Amino acid sequence: MNELIDLLLRASAWLAVGVLVLAVLRPVLLALGGAALAYRSWWLLPLLLLAPQLPMPAPVLEVVTLPVLTLGVLPGPVGATGDAPGWPLVCVLLWALGVAVVAWRSTRAQRGFQQALGRLTARADGSWQASGDPGLPALVGLWQPRIVVGPDFDTRFTSDEQHMVLQHERNHRRHGDHWANGVLLVLRCLFWFHPLLPWAARRFLRDQELACDARTIAPHPALRRLYATALLKAQLAHLAAPMACHWRSQPLLKERIAMLKQNERKTLPWVSGQVLLVGMCVSLGAVAWASQGGGGGVTTISAEPFATAQADAARAALDRPVQVDRMTPPTYPKSAVALRQTGVVTLQVDVTAQGTVQDVRVVSATNPGVFDAESMAAARRWTYQPALKNGTPVAASVRIPITFAMDESETHTENGA
């Protein structure tokens, strides 16, 4: 639970950094490279989300083999109370509920849009004609995207305008804009709580349309007026589907027409914009990758038994104390590695007469809250042999100190204390 929450918080922080950087630099990118460069700059967001998940060459995690030895026993009845679910579980459940709600609403909107299309008929130009018009023309679909036009497409647009409209939608398909919309939908589901994501999604879709307009009109600069006329003929009065690239875009109609009036850009500013974009992505991606930690040195994890195990068992009138068959090491938290935090967590594990774990509690911790969750999770995975009294398995408790250290010298210091 804690790892998932930590992952979401770190990803949200980097998502916010990326959105703010793009908001500040967007006017510069537009001036240097136009709408196409501004649209490509949105690659920064998935880069910042993926970079911290890439493995780092350091630090090297050296795990000390955990000894399978007799451990100290604390005699007494085993309590039946387990760990109560805390706030991490509540947070994860709320997040999952939000993801489900957003996904359901998006699926419902997409399904309603496709049902409103009605019957689709193949056209000679490679597009499909719908019997209804919930916001067409548009590129519809993800795996097999199709260009769908409205029932009045032939009467509303001239033949030249039809060619420009279809070329616009083909450019969407050729450059994978439908896949980009799919990634955006996934991000909107996973980060439904992020306050900056709605603005980023609207700005992304606007840049997508502006970039597609620029790609479509670039080979035909003399047809700008014709292209603008086609835009004016189609006004979007319907809600857009989450998985469609719409030709009609009334909210940014003025911006799209203004873009058509721009002259051809010179080579030098265009190259400068590309260099700026690549440098921004590489530098911020490197910072995000390095942020996952790694302060140098070697981390070690060790668990040591109490030296008085047999004496404790004798005082408790036990023939044999609880024994541990297999102890897989806990995970050294990334945040602790980054801050070079060390500590000792002493656990009390209640083991039933059948050798199963009934409860795990933290008795003491030199650095409270840092290693507790990982230590308890590891103890629950270990296998145990129950204590014996008069030759019969009985319930008992075992106390296990676990030492987290950054190098072997620190481990020896902790163990010798």
Side-chain angles (χ1 to χ4, degrees):
M1 297 295 178
N2 291 331
E3 289 293 334
L4 178 58
I5 294 176
D6 181 63
L7 176 63
L8 287 173
L9 291 178
R10 285 188 287 111
S12 299
W14 280 112
L15 187 61
V17 170
V19 172
L20 293 176
V21 169
L22 292 179
V24 172
L25 292 183
R26 185 176 183 275
V28 179
L29 296 174
L30 283 173
L32 294 177
L37 184 64
Y39 180 52
R40 283 196 295 271
S41 67
W42 289 99
W43 279 105
L44 177 65
L45 296 189
L47 177 63
L48 292 180
L49 294 177
L50 294 176
Q53 313 309 320
L54 299 178
M56 297 190 69
V60 178
L61 179 61
E62 179 185 327
V63 181
V64 177
T65 302
L66 300 180
V68 183
L69 299 173
T70 303
L71 305 174
V73 177
L74 299 177
V78 178
T81 304
D83 294 330
W87 68 267
L89 178 60
V90 175
C91 291
V92 170
L93 291 178
L94 289 176
W95 170 77
L97 178 62
V99 171
V101 170
V102 175
W104 175 77
R105 293 180 61 182
S106 300
T107 302
R108 182 181 179 185
Q110 181 70 23
R111 185 177 301 170
F113 172 79
Q114 293 182 341
Q115 290 177 349
L117 294 177
R119 183 173 56 88
L120 298 181
T121 305
R123 292 167 51 94
D125 54 17
S127 64
W128 294 77
Q129 191 155 25
S131 57
D133 187 0
L136 299 174
L139 180 67
V140 182
L142 182 63
W143 302 107
Q144 294 180 338
R146 295 185 289 187
I147 300 174
V148 183
V149 300
D152 59 346
F153 183 68
D154 293 324
T155 58
R156 174 177 296 186
F157 300 99
T158 66
S159 59
D160 291 336
E161 291 171 349
Q162 292 175 26
H163 173 75
M164 299 301 292
V165 171
L166 295 177
Q167 188 61 33
H168 175 94
E169 299 301 333
R170 293 189 186 106
N171 280 328
H172 272 310
R173 182 170 57 190
R174 185 179 302 112
H175 288 82
D177 290 343
H178 55 296
W179 287 109
N181 290 347
V183 174
L184 175 62
L185 179 59
V186 172
L187 292 180
R188 298 183 77 165
C189 291
L190 296 179
F191 298 96
W192 56 267
F193 55 88
H194 203 289
L196 297 181
L197 191 57
W199 177 89
R202 292 192 299 269
R203 188 70 267 177
F204 169 81
L205 294 176
R206 289 191 174 200
D207 287 344
Q208 183 184 88
E209 287 302 320
L210 292 174
C212 192
D213 288 339
R215 289 193 299 261
T216 304
I217 203 62
H220 313 285
L223 300 180
R224 292 178 181 178
R225 182 179 296 274
L226 176 69
Y227 197 86
T229 302
L231 287 175
L232 291 172
K233 286 184 177 181
Q235 297 300 313
L236 180 59
H238 305 273
L239 293 176
M243 294 296 296
C245 300
H246 294 269
W247 162 260
R248 309 189 211 177
S249 303
Q250 185 176 2
L252 67 150
L253 179 62
K254 293 182 179 179
E255 193 173 358
R256 294 177 71 179
I257 294 179
M259 186 275 300
L260 297 177
K261 298 179 181 179
Q262 296 176 0
N263 297 324
E264 185 177 355
R265 301 184 180 276
K266 297 181 180 180
T267 303
L268 184 58
W270 183 88
V271 172
S272 301
Q274 306 299 319
V275 173
L276 174 62
L277 176 59
V278 173
M280 176 183 65
C281 291
V282 171
S283 58
L284 286 179
V287 173
W289 176 66
S291 68
Q292 59 186 297
V298 178
T299 59
T300 60
I301 306 172
S302 61
E304 296 292 339
F306 279 98
T308 58
Q310 293 296 342
D312 290 343
R315 285 194 295 269
L318 296 176
D319 302 334
R320 187 191 70 187
V322 174
Q323 294 183 342
V324 186
D325 287 335
R326 184 171 52 193
M327 302 171 71
T328 56
T331 302
Y332 210 113
K334 292 182 179 180
S335 58
V337 175
L339 299 175
R340 296 191 59 82
Q341 292 178 303
T342 62
V344 179
V345 178
T346 301
L347 301 178
Q348 178 173 315
V349 183
D350 298 336
V351 180
T352 66
Q354 291 74 36
T356 59
V357 177
Q358 182 160 354
D359 192 15
V360 179
R361 297 185 296 277
V362 175
V363 177
S364 63
T366 58
N367 211 338
V370 177
F371 305 103
D372 298 12
E374 287 74 10
S375 300
M376 295 174 65
R380 292 186 182 279
R381 294 192 299 266
W382 296 343
T383 57
Y384 304 85
Q385 292 185 17
L388 296 179
K389 186 174 184 178
N390 299 325
T392 303
V394 294
S397 299
V398 59
R399 185 178 295 182
I400 307 174
I402 304 176
T403 302
F404 293 78
M406 297 302 297
D407 53 48
E408 291 186 2
S409 62
E410 294 178 16
T411 304
H412 296 327
T413 300
E414 293 287 352
N415 294 337

PDB file of all heavy atoms in Angstrom, residues 8-34:
ATOM      1  N   LEU A   8       2.406   7.062  -6.574  1.00  0.00           N
ATOM      2  CA  LEU A   8       1.435   8.026  -7.088  1.00  0.00           C
ATOM      3  C   LEU A   8       1.814   9.457  -6.716  1.00  0.00           C
ATOM      4  O   LEU A   8       1.672  10.379  -7.535  1.00  0.00           O
ATOM      5  CB  LEU A   8       0.044   7.698  -6.548  1.00  0.00           C
ATOM      6  CG  LEU A   8      -0.647   6.475  -7.144  1.00  0.00           C
ATOM      7  CD1 LEU A   8      -1.940   6.181  -6.395  1.00  0.00           C
ATOM      8  CD2 LEU A   8      -0.926   6.673  -8.628  1.00  0.00           C
ATOM      9  N   LEU A   9       2.304   9.642  -5.488  1.00  0.00           N
ATOM     10  CA  LEU A   9       2.686  10.989  -5.060  1.00  0.00           C
ATOM     11  C   LEU A   9       3.875  11.510  -5.854  1.00  0.00           C
ATOM     12  O   LEU A   9       3.895  12.670  -6.294  1.00  0.00           O
ATOM     13  CB  LEU A   9       2.993  10.989  -3.559  1.00  0.00           C
ATOM     14  CG  LEU A   9       1.799  10.771  -2.627  1.00  0.00           C
ATOM     15  CD1 LEU A   9       2.259  10.745  -1.176  1.00  0.00           C
ATOM     16  CD2 LEU A   9       0.754  11.858  -2.832  1.00  0.00           C
ATOM     17  N   ARG A  10       4.878  10.657  -6.058  1.00  0.00           N
ATOM     18  CA  ARG A  10       6.045  11.092  -6.814  1.00  0.00           C
ATOM     19  C   ARG A  10       5.682  11.358  -8.270  1.00  0.00           C
ATOM     20  O   ARG A  10       6.146  12.338  -8.874  1.00  0.00           O
ATOM     21  CB  ARG A  10       7.158  10.048  -6.717  1.00  0.00           C
ATOM     22  CG  ARG A  10       7.861  10.044  -5.358  1.00  0.00           C
ATOM     23  CD  ARG A  10       9.081   9.147  -5.347  1.00  0.00           C
ATOM     24  NE  ARG A  10       8.695   7.742  -5.338  1.00  0.00           N
ATOM     25  CZ  ARG A  10       8.870   6.917  -6.337  1.00  0.00           C
ATOM     26  NH1 ARG A  10       9.392   7.351  -7.475  1.00  0.00           N
ATOM     27  NH2 ARG A  10       8.522   5.645  -6.243  1.00  0.00           N
ATOM     28  N   ALA A  11       4.846  10.486  -8.849  1.00  0.00           N
ATOM     29  CA  ALA A  11       4.421  10.699 -10.234  1.00  0.00           C
ATOM     30  C   ALA A  11       3.589  11.969 -10.364  1.00  0.00           C
ATOM     31  O   ALA A  11       3.728  12.721 -11.343  1.00  0.00           O
ATOM     32  CB  ALA A  11       3.625   9.483 -10.726  1.00  0.00           C
ATOM     33  N   SER A  12       2.737  12.249  -9.380  1.00  0.00           N
ATOM     34  CA  SER A  12       1.928  13.464  -9.423  1.00  0.00           C
ATOM     35  C   SER A  12       2.798  14.705  -9.338  1.00  0.00           C
ATOM     36  O   SER A  12       2.526  15.714 -10.005  1.00  0.00           O
ATOM     37  CB  SER A  12       0.914  13.454  -8.270  1.00  0.00           C
ATOM     38  OG  SER A  12       0.044  12.350  -8.374  1.00  0.00           O
ATOM     39  N   ALA A  13       3.833  14.636  -8.502  1.00  0.00           N
ATOM     40  CA  ALA A  13       4.726  15.788  -8.373  1.00  0.00           C
ATOM     41  C   ALA A  13       5.443  16.072  -9.694  1.00  0.00           C
ATOM     42  O   ALA A  13       5.532  17.230 -10.132  1.00  0.00           O
ATOM     43  CB  ALA A  13       5.740  15.531  -7.264  1.00  0.00           C
ATOM     44  N   TRP A  14       5.954  15.036 -10.344  1.00  0.00           N
ATOM     45  CA  TRP A  14       6.645  15.235 -11.620  1.00  0.00           C
ATOM     46  C   TRP A  14       5.669  15.641 -12.723  1.00  0.00           C
ATOM     47  O   TRP A  14       6.031  16.380 -13.642  1.00  0.00           O
ATOM     48  CB  TRP A  14       7.405  13.983 -12.011  1.00  0.00           C
ATOM     49  CG  TRP A  14       8.708  13.857 -11.284  1.00  0.00           C
ATOM     50  CD1 TRP A  14       9.058  12.939 -10.343  1.00  0.00           C
ATOM     51  CD2 TRP A  14       9.828  14.728 -11.426  1.00  0.00           C
ATOM     52  NE1 TRP A  14      10.326  13.178  -9.892  1.00  0.00           N
ATOM     53  CE2 TRP A  14      10.828  14.261 -10.540  1.00  0.00           C
ATOM     54  CE3 TRP A  14      10.097  15.844 -12.205  1.00  0.00           C
ATOM     55  CZ2 TRP A  14      12.065  14.884 -10.421  1.00  0.00           C
ATOM     56  CZ3 TRP A  14      11.323  16.463 -12.090  1.00  0.00           C
ATOM     57  CH2 TRP A  14      12.287  15.985 -11.213  1.00  0.00           C
ATOM     58  N   LEU A  15       4.430  15.156 -12.652  1.00  0.00           N
ATOM     59  CA  LEU A  15       3.422  15.584 -13.618  1.00  0.00           C
ATOM     60  C   LEU A  15       3.152  17.073 -13.473  1.00  0.00           C
ATOM     61  O   LEU A  15       3.024  17.802 -14.476  1.00  0.00           O
ATOM     62  CB  LEU A  15       2.138  14.786 -13.401  1.00  0.00           C
ATOM     63  CG  LEU A  15       1.011  14.985 -14.426  1.00  0.00           C
ATOM     64  CD1 LEU A  15       1.471  14.573 -15.816  1.00  0.00           C
ATOM     65  CD2 LEU A  15      -0.221  14.187 -14.018  1.00  0.00           C
ATOM     66  N   ALA A  16       3.080  17.550 -12.239  1.00  0.00           N
ATOM     67  CA  ALA A  16       2.873  18.980 -12.005  1.00  0.00           C
ATOM     68  C   ALA A  16       4.055  19.795 -12.516  1.00  0.00           C
ATOM     69  O   ALA A  16       3.872  20.854 -13.131  1.00  0.00           O
ATOM     70  CB  ALA A  16       2.658  19.242 -10.515  1.00  0.00           C
ATOM     71  N   VAL A  17       5.272  19.308 -12.281  1.00  0.00           N
ATOM     72  CA  VAL A  17       6.459  20.012 -12.773  1.00  0.00           C
ATOM     73  C   VAL A  17       6.424  20.115 -14.293  1.00  0.00           C
ATOM     74  O   VAL A  17       6.685  21.179 -14.881  1.00  0.00           O
ATOM     75  CB  VAL A  17       7.737  19.286 -12.308  1.00  0.00           C
ATOM     76  CG1 VAL A  17       8.973  19.850 -13.012  1.00  0.00           C
ATOM     77  CG2 VAL A  17       7.899  19.408 -10.796  1.00  0.00           C
ATOM     78  N   GLY A  18       6.088  19.018 -14.955  1.00  0.00           N
ATOM     79  CA  GLY A  18       6.037  19.033 -16.415  1.00  0.00           C
ATOM     80  C   GLY A  18       4.993  19.983 -16.961  1.00  0.00           C
ATOM     81  O   GLY A  18       5.253  20.719 -17.922  1.00  0.00           O
ATOM     82  N   VAL A  19       3.811  19.983 -16.372  1.00  0.00           N
ATOM     83  CA  VAL A  19       2.738  20.867 -16.843  1.00  0.00           C
ATOM     84  C   VAL A  19       3.133  22.332 -16.664  1.00  0.00           C
ATOM     85  O   VAL A  19       2.917  23.171 -17.565  1.00  0.00           O
ATOM     86  CB  VAL A  19       1.430  20.557 -16.097  1.00  0.00           C
ATOM     87  CG1 VAL A  19       0.364  21.603 -16.424  1.00  0.00           C
ATOM     88  CG2 VAL A  19       0.921  19.169 -16.478  1.00  0.00           C
ATOM     89  N   LEU A  20       3.716  22.671 -15.515  1.00  0.00           N
ATOM     90  CA  LEU A  20       4.109  24.052 -15.271  1.00  0.00           C
ATOM     91  C   LEU A  20       5.222  24.495 -16.222  1.00  0.00           C
ATOM     92  O   LEU A  20       5.202  25.630 -16.729  1.00  0.00           O
ATOM     93  CB  LEU A  20       4.566  24.212 -13.817  1.00  0.00           C
ATOM     94  CG  LEU A  20       3.470  24.034 -12.757  1.00  0.00           C
ATOM     95  CD1 LEU A  20       4.061  24.116 -11.360  1.00  0.00           C
ATOM     96  CD2 LEU A  20       2.372  25.078 -12.932  1.00  0.00           C
ATOM     97  N   VAL A  21       6.178  23.607 -16.486  1.00  0.00           N
ATOM     98  CA  VAL A  21       7.262  23.949 -17.424  1.00  0.00           C
ATOM     99  C   VAL A  21       6.701  24.192 -18.819  1.00  0.00           C
ATOM    100  O   VAL A  21       7.075  25.151 -19.501  1.00  0.00           O
ATOM    101  CB  VAL A  21       8.318  22.833 -17.435  1.00  0.00           C
ATOM    102  CG1 VAL A  21       9.300  23.030 -18.591  1.00  0.00           C
ATOM    103  CG2 VAL A  21       9.078  22.817 -16.112  1.00  0.00           C
ATOM    104  N   LEU A  22       5.787  23.319 -19.268  1.00  0.00           N
ATOM    105  CA  LEU A  22       5.195  23.490 -20.599  1.00  0.00           C
ATOM    106  C   LEU A  22       4.347  24.758 -20.676  1.00  0.00           C
ATOM    107  O   LEU A  22       4.321  25.423 -21.714  1.00  0.00           O
ATOM    108  CB  LEU A  22       4.352  22.265 -20.944  1.00  0.00           C
ATOM    109  CG  LEU A  22       5.123  20.960 -21.170  1.00  0.00           C
ATOM    110  CD1 LEU A  22       4.167  19.817 -21.470  1.00  0.00           C
ATOM    111  CD2 LEU A  22       6.132  21.107 -22.298  1.00  0.00           C
ATOM    112  N   ALA A  23       3.654  25.085 -19.592  1.00  0.00           N
ATOM    113  CA  ALA A  23       2.846  26.297 -19.599  1.00  0.00           C
ATOM    114  C   ALA A  23       3.714  27.544 -19.744  1.00  0.00           C
ATOM    115  O   ALA A  23       3.337  28.505 -20.425  1.00  0.00           O
ATOM    116  CB  ALA A  23       2.020  26.375 -18.312  1.00  0.00           C
ATOM    117  N   VAL A  24       4.889  27.520 -19.117  1.00  0.00           N
ATOM    118  CA  VAL A  24       5.783  28.669 -19.195  1.00  0.00           C
ATOM    119  C   VAL A  24       6.470  28.760 -20.552  1.00  0.00           C
ATOM    120  O   VAL A  24       6.599  29.846 -21.140  1.00  0.00           O
ATOM    121  CB  VAL A  24       6.829  28.597 -18.060  1.00  0.00           C
ATOM    122  CG1 VAL A  24       7.890  29.677 -18.222  1.00  0.00           C
ATOM    123  CG2 VAL A  24       6.142  28.741 -16.703  1.00  0.00           C
ATOM    124  N   LEU A  25       6.894  27.612 -21.083  1.00  0.00           N
ATOM    125  CA  LEU A  25       7.679  27.612 -22.318  1.00  0.00           C
ATOM    126  C   LEU A  25       6.842  27.554 -23.586  1.00  0.00           C
ATOM    127  O   LEU A  25       7.383  27.712 -24.684  1.00  0.00           O
ATOM    128  CB  LEU A  25       8.653  26.425 -22.315  1.00  0.00           C
ATOM    129  CG  LEU A  25       9.785  26.481 -21.291  1.00  0.00           C
ATOM    130  CD1 LEU A  25      10.699  25.276 -21.465  1.00  0.00           C
ATOM    131  CD2 LEU A  25      10.585  27.767 -21.441  1.00  0.00           C
ATOM    132  N   ARG A  26       5.535  27.330 -23.472  1.00  0.00           N
ATOM    133  CA  ARG A  26       4.720  27.179 -24.675  1.00  0.00           C
ATOM    134  C   ARG A  26       4.783  28.391 -25.600  1.00  0.00           C
ATOM    135  O   ARG A  26       4.927  28.228 -26.818  1.00  0.00           O
ATOM    136  CB  ARG A  26       3.278  26.884 -24.297  1.00  0.00           C
ATOM    137  CG  ARG A  26       2.395  26.589 -25.500  1.00  0.00           C
ATOM    138  CD  ARG A  26       0.986  26.199 -25.095  1.00  0.00           C
ATOM    139  NE  ARG A  26       0.204  25.865 -26.269  1.00  0.00           N
ATOM    140  CZ  ARG A  26      -0.431  26.761 -27.018  1.00  0.00           C
ATOM    141  NH1 ARG A  26      -0.342  28.050 -26.705  1.00  0.00           N
ATOM    142  NH2 ARG A  26      -1.128  26.380 -28.075  1.00  0.00           N
ATOM    143  N   PRO A  27       4.683  29.637 -25.102  1.00  0.00           N
ATOM    144  CA  PRO A  27       4.801  30.776 -26.030  1.00  0.00           C
ATOM    145  C   PRO A  27       6.130  30.806 -26.768  1.00  0.00           C
ATOM    146  O   PRO A  27       6.178  31.162 -27.948  1.00  0.00           O
ATOM    147  CB  PRO A  27       4.645  31.992 -25.104  1.00  0.00           C
ATOM    148  CG  PRO A  27       3.888  31.484 -23.924  1.00  0.00           C
ATOM    149  CD  PRO A  27       4.368  30.086 -23.734  1.00  0.00           C
ATOM    150  N   VAL A  28       7.203  30.410 -26.086  1.00  0.00           N
ATOM    151  CA  VAL A  28       8.517  30.379 -26.745  1.00  0.00           C
ATOM    152  C   VAL A  28       8.548  29.311 -27.826  1.00  0.00           C
ATOM    153  O   VAL A  28       9.055  29.532 -28.937  1.00  0.00           O
ATOM    154  CB  VAL A  28       9.622  30.136 -25.699  1.00  0.00           C
ATOM    155  CG1 VAL A  28      10.997  30.084 -26.368  1.00  0.00           C
ATOM    156  CG2 VAL A  28       9.588  31.217 -24.634  1.00  0.00           C
ATOM    157  N   LEU A  29       8.008  28.136 -27.515  1.00  0.00           N
ATOM    158  CA  LEU A  29       7.996  27.050 -28.492  1.00  0.00           C
ATOM    159  C   LEU A  29       7.142  27.415 -29.709  1.00  0.00           C
ATOM    160  O   LEU A  29       7.494  27.081 -30.848  1.00  0.00           O
ATOM    161  CB  LEU A  29       7.480  25.770 -27.838  1.00  0.00           C
ATOM    162  CG  LEU A  29       8.338  25.198 -26.702  1.00  0.00           C
ATOM    163  CD1 LEU A  29       7.648  24.011 -26.047  1.00  0.00           C
ATOM    164  CD2 LEU A  29       9.706  24.782 -27.230  1.00  0.00           C
ATOM    165  N   LEU A  30       6.009  28.078 -29.477  1.00  0.00           N
ATOM    166  CA  LEU A  30       5.164  28.500 -30.593  1.00  0.00           C
ATOM    167  C   LEU A  30       5.889  29.510 -31.476  1.00  0.00           C
ATOM    168  O   LEU A  30       5.798  29.460 -32.712  1.00  0.00           O
ATOM    169  CB  LEU A  30       3.862  29.108 -30.070  1.00  0.00           C
ATOM    170  CG  LEU A  30       2.794  28.138 -29.568  1.00  0.00           C
ATOM    171  CD1 LEU A  30       1.640  28.895 -28.940  1.00  0.00           C
ATOM    172  CD2 LEU A  30       2.298  27.260 -30.706  1.00  0.00           C
ATOM    173  N   ALA A  31       6.623  30.435 -30.858  1.00  0.00           N
ATOM    174  CA  ALA A  31       7.330  31.452 -31.636  1.00  0.00           C
ATOM    175  C   ALA A  31       8.465  30.846 -32.449  1.00  0.00           C
ATOM    176  O   ALA A  31       8.744  31.284 -33.563  1.00  0.00           O
ATOM    177  CB  ALA A  31       7.864  32.538 -30.700  1.00  0.00           C
ATOM    178  N   LEU A  32       9.121  29.822 -31.916  1.00  0.00           N
ATOM    179  CA  LEU A  32      10.283  29.230 -32.596  1.00  0.00           C
ATOM    180  C   LEU A  32       9.888  28.160 -33.611  1.00  0.00           C
ATOM    181  O   LEU A  32      10.438  28.124 -34.714  1.00  0.00           O
ATOM    182  CB  LEU A  32      11.242  28.628 -31.566  1.00  0.00           C
ATOM    183  CG  LEU A  32      11.940  29.615 -30.616  1.00  0.00           C
ATOM    184  CD1 LEU A  32      12.789  28.861 -29.609  1.00  0.00           C
ATOM    185  CD2 LEU A  32      12.801  30.593 -31.404  1.00  0.00           C
ATOM    186  N   GLY A  33       8.976  27.300 -33.241  1.00  0.00           N
ATOM    187  CA  GLY A  33       8.678  26.155 -34.104  1.00  0.00           C
ATOM    188  C   GLY A  33       7.238  25.984 -34.477  1.00  0.00           C
ATOM    189  O   GLY A  33       6.888  25.015 -35.169  1.00  0.00           O
ATOM    190  N   GLY A  34       6.349  26.849 -34.005  1.00  0.00           N
ATOM    191  CA  GLY A  34       4.955  26.752 -34.374  1.00  0.00           C
ATOM    192  C   GLY A  34       4.203  25.690 -33.587  1.00  0.00           C
ATOM    193  O   GLY A  34       4.682  25.130 -32.598  1.00  0.00           O
TER     194      GLY A  34
END
